[in-house]
C-alpha cells in the first residue's frame, strides 16, 4: 500500500515534466557551460538564461539578478555572510526573527561568536511578525535585516512587503528567505535586496537554488574559484538541475495553490474537533497545517500512522533531534505543546481521496493514543 505523502514543506516529488526537461542534459548536452570554445559548452548558455528568466518571472525581477546556488541553505549563508563582509565597516548589527530556518539562525549564531550583534524578533501567538517590531529593533549599527517570506513549520506568511519599505527608508539591506513562499504566494522583489529560493520545494530537483541580488546591491563571495555568476558564486554550472529549476518555476501556479488551499481547509475542518492549529488560520501558505494534538506525543503519533501516512514533527532539520521546535516555543508556548505538535504538508499531487484517508487514519490514532 502506498504511504500518503504529507510532508511537502520538507520536500516535494520532482514533477515528471521537470524530469523530462532535465534528461537530455546528462548524456547528450553534457558540456561545461563555461567551456564556450565549442558547441558542447556554447549550446548551454541560452538554456541557463532561459531558466533564469523563468525563475525571475515568478518574483518579478530581471534574469541577470538571479544567481544559482546549491539551495536555499547556501543562498542564506551567502546573503548574510556576503552582506556582512561587504558592510562590516558600516555597522555590526543584524535584525532577524526567532522563527527563521536553521540556515539563518545558525549563521547568525556564528556571527555572534565573531563579534556581531543580532536581534531576534519574536512573533505573536499567531506566528506572524509585526513590521513595527522589526522597525523598533533597528539601531544605527544595523546593516542587514533578514526575515523569511513564510515559515517552514507553521506556514505563516510574514509582512516582507512592509519590512522592505522600512529597510529601504533606513538604507538597510533587506534579505528574505523565501524558500517556502516561492511558488505558493504572490511574490515581488520590489523593496527587497536579496531573496533566497530553493528548487526542491516546488517540484524541482534537490541541490539547486538561487539568490536574487538586486542590481546595484553588493555582496562578497563566501567561496572562491572561477568566474561563474560574476565571481559571487563560482563553480561549474549544474546544468540539468538549473534546467529543472527553470521548468519547475514555469509550472508554479497560484491557481493550483487555490486547490491546495481548499484541500487543506477541508482537512482542517474535519480534524479541528481533535486538534488545535499552530499559526494563523488565514495568513498561511496553502498546504501547511501545524497541529497541536493535546495529550499525544507527536513522535508516538507519527509512529502510529507511519505505515499509511508520512507526516512530520516539524522541520526536517529538527526531526532527528529531541529538542522541541524553536518555532512553537517562539510563539510563547511551552515544551509540552512543542512535543505534541505535528506538521502536515499537502501539495500539487495530493488528492481528495488521500485527504479522506488522512482523516480516517489520524482520528482513530489520536483517540487510541489518548486512551492509553
Ligand atoms: C527548505 C528550506 C530551506 C533550505 O533549503 P535547501 O534548498 O534545502 O537548502 C531554507 N529555508 C526555508 C524556509 C526552507 O523551507
Amino acid at each position: 500500500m502506498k504511504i500518503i505523502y504529507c510532508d511537502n514543506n520538507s520536500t516535494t516529488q520532482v514533477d515528471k515534466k521537470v524530469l523530462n526537461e532535465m534528461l537530455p542534459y546528462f548524456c547528450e548536452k553534457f558540456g561545461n557551460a563555461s567551456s564556450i570554445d565549442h558547441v558542447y559548452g556554447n549550446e548551454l548558455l541560452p538554456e541557463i538564461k532561459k531558466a533564469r528568466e523563468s525563475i525571475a518571472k515568478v518574483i518579478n525581477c530581471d534574469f541577470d539578478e538571479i544567481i544559482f546556488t546549491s539551495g536555499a541553505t547556501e543562498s542564506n549563508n551567502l546573503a548574510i555572510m556576503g552582506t556582512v563582509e561587504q558592510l562590516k565597516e558600516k555597522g555590526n548589527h543584524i535584525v532577524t526573527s526567532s522563527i527563521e530556518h536553521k540556515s539563518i539562525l545558525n549563521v547568525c549564531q556564528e556571527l555572534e561568536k565573531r563579534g556581531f550583534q543580532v536581534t531576534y524578533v519574536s512573533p505573536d501567538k499567531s506566528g506572524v511578525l509585526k513590521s513595527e517590531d522589526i522597525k523598533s529593533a533597528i539601531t544605527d549599527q544595523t546593516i542587514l535585516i533578514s526575515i523569511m517570506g513564510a515559515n517552514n513549520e507553521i506556514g505563516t506568511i510574514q509582512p516582507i512587503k512592509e519590512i522592505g519599505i522600512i529597510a529601504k527608508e533606513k538604507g538597510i539591506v533587506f534579505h528574505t528567505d523565501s524558500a517556502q513562499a516561492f511558488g505558493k504566494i504572490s511574490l515581488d522583489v520590489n523593496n527587497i535586496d536579496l531573496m533566497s529560493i530553493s528548487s526542491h520545494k516546488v517540484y524541482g530537483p534537490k541541490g539547486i537554488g538561487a539568490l536574487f541580488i538586486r542590481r546595484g546591491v553588493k555582496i562578497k563571495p563566501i567561496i572562491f574559484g572561477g568566474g561563474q555568476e560574476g565571481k559571487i558564486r563560482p563553480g561549474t554550472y549544474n546544468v540539468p538541475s538549473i534546467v529543472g529549476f527553470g521548468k519547475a518555476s514555469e509550472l508554479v501556479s497560484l491557481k493550483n495553490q487555490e486547490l491546495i488551499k481548499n484541500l487543506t481547509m477541508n482537512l482542517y475542518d474535519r480534524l479541528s474537533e481533535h486538534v488545535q492549529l499552530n499559526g494563523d488560520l488565514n495568513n498561511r501558505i496553502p498546504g501547511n497545517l501545524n497541529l497541536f494534538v493535546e495529550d499525544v506525543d507527536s513522535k508516538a503519533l507519527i509512529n502510529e500512522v507511519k505505515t499509511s501516512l508520512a507526516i512530520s514533527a516539524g522541520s526536517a532539520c529538527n526531526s532527528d533531534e529531541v529538542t522541541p521546535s524553536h518555532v512553537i516555543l517562539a510563539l510563547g508556548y511551552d515544551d509540552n505543546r512543542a512535543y505534541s505538535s505535528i506538521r502536515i504538508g499537502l501539495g500539487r499531487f495530493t488528492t481528495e481521496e488521500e485527504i479522506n484517508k488522512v482523516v480516517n487514519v489520524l482520528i482513530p490514532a489520536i483517540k487510541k493514543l489518548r486512551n492509553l
Side-chain angles (χ1 to χ4, degrees):
M1 194 186 52
K2 193 174 161 245
I3 295 170
I4 300 171
Y5 187 68
C6 297
D7 203 12
N8 283 281
N9 296 114
S10 164
T11 193
T12 57
Q13 106 182 49
V14 172
D15 194 307
K16 291 265 161 54
K17 296 192 190 96
V18 169
L19 177 66
N20 287 335
E21 288 281 313
M22 292 172 67
L23 288 175
Y25 296 90
F26 287 98
C27 301
E28 294 142 46
K29 304 180 181 186
F30 60 82
N32 183 326
S34 304
S35 303
I36 51 173
D37 291 338
H38 50 67
V39 67
Y40 285 90
N42 239 329
E43 69 176 354
L44 301 172
L45 298 180
E47 306 302 328
I48 293 174
K49 182 175 177 214
K50 186 177 156 214
R52 281 191 222 278
E53 284 169 340
S54 303
I55 296 163
K57 210 168 150 195
V58 180
I59 60 173
N60 196 25
C61 70
D62 291 333
F63 77 91
D64 57 356
E65 295 175 304
I66 294 292
I67 71 161
F68 290 109
T69 66
S70 64
T73 297
E74 187 191 329
S75 298
N76 287 341
N77 275 262
L78 175 57
I80 295 177
M81 287 295 190
T83 300
V84 159
E85 198 51 43
Q86 179 74 32
L87 298 176
K88 64 185 178 193
E89 308 299 326
K90 218 180 133 197
N92 71 344
H93 181 241
I94 299 164
V95 177
T96 187
S97 85
S98 54
I99 58 169
E100 298 296 312
H101 190 265
K102 287 286 164 78
S103 58
I104 296 286
L105 293 177
N106 287 342
V107 179
C108 287
Q109 266 181 31
E110 176 59 30
L111 284 171
E112 283 185 280
K113 284 186 204 149
R114 298 185 194 180
F116 287 85
Q117 311 263 300
V118 182
T119 302
Y120 301 90
V121 177
S122 280
D124 57 19
K125 273 244 148 103
S126 76
V128 180
L129 294 155
K130 291 205 172 53
S131 58
E132 310 92 76
D133 293 344
I134 305 294
K135 192 171 182 174
S136 312
I138 295 171
T139 72
D140 60 359
Q141 285 292 307
T142 309
I143 49 173
L144 173 67
I145 299 172
S146 180
I147 298 294
M148 66 197 334
N151 184 269
N152 48 301
E153 292 192 35
I154 57 171
T156 46
I157 298 167
Q158 306 304 330
I160 54 173
K161 216 168 170 176
E162 288 103 86
I163 297 167
I165 293 168
I166 292 166
K168 193 173 185 184
E169 262 172 30
K170 304 257 183 192
I172 298 167
V173 172
F174 178 43
H175 165 252
T176 177
D177 171 4
S178 286
Q180 290 290 340
F182 182 79
K184 298 194 184 100
I185 57 171
S186 161
L187 279 180
D188 191 318
V189 293
N190 197 16
N191 297 320
I192 291 168
D193 297 308
L194 303 161
M195 180 185 283
S196 303
I197 54 179
S198 177
S199 155
H200 75 96
K201 304 288 169 73
V202 290
Y203 312 94
K206 295 168 190 39
I208 185 84
L211 181 65
F212 155 76
I213 307 178
R214 171 174 300 289
R215 192 168 300 116
V217 171
K218 293 215 160 16
I219 63 170
K220 299 271 197 214
I222 55 174
I223 56 170
F224 299 86
Q228 294 93 348
E229 304 298 68
K231 289 192 182 165
I232 295 297
R233 205 289 189 171
T236 302
Y237 286 104
N238 180 354
V239 181
S241 295
I242 288 172
V243 167
F245 191 11
K247 184 65 184 179
S249 300
E250 267 176 47
L251 294 175
V252 301
S253 133
L254 295 183
K255 217 160 117 201
N256 180 246
Q257 292 298 319
E258 279 299 308
L259 299 175
I260 296 172
K261 179 113 208 166
N262 291 340
L263 278 181
T264 313
M265 286 306 138
N266 176 310
L267 176 60
Y268 178 59
D269 281 345
R270 293 162 71 186
L271 296 176
S272 60
E273 122 186 42
H274 308 276
V275 299
Q276 292 168 53
L277 189 68
N278 292 317
D280 194 82
L281 174 62
N282 300 307
N283 204 0
R284 67 196 303 125
I285 45 174
N288 174 279
L289 287 175
N290 194 302
L291 304 170
F292 169 43
V293 192
E294 201 169 0
D295 294 331
V296 172
D297 177 64
S298 57
K299 294 280 178 192
L301 181 58
I302 290 163
N303 201 39
E304 180 69 26
V305 302
K306 74 178 177 196
T307 53
S308 32
L309 307 180
I311 56 173
S312 69
S315 81
C317 326
N318 298 339
S319 283
D320 47 4
E321 296 173 13
V322 280
T323 51
S325 155
H326 70 281
V327 177
I328 305 291
L329 297 182
L331 305 185
Y333 292 118
D334 57 8
D335 279 18
N336 183 42
R337 184 150 176 147
Y339 284 123
S340 291
S341 291
I342 55 165
R343 179 179 69 175
I344 296 177
L346 309 183
R348 181 180 293 171
F349 301 108
T350 310
T351 63
E352 218 167 308
E353 205 187 321
E354 287 180 329
I355 296 296
N356 296 334
K357 188 82 191 288
V358 173
V359 173
N360 292 337
V361 170
L362 262 186
I363 293 177
I366 292 170
K367 285 184 175 161
K368 180 180 161 189
L369 292 173
R370 278 194 180 137
N371 285 331
L372 282 184

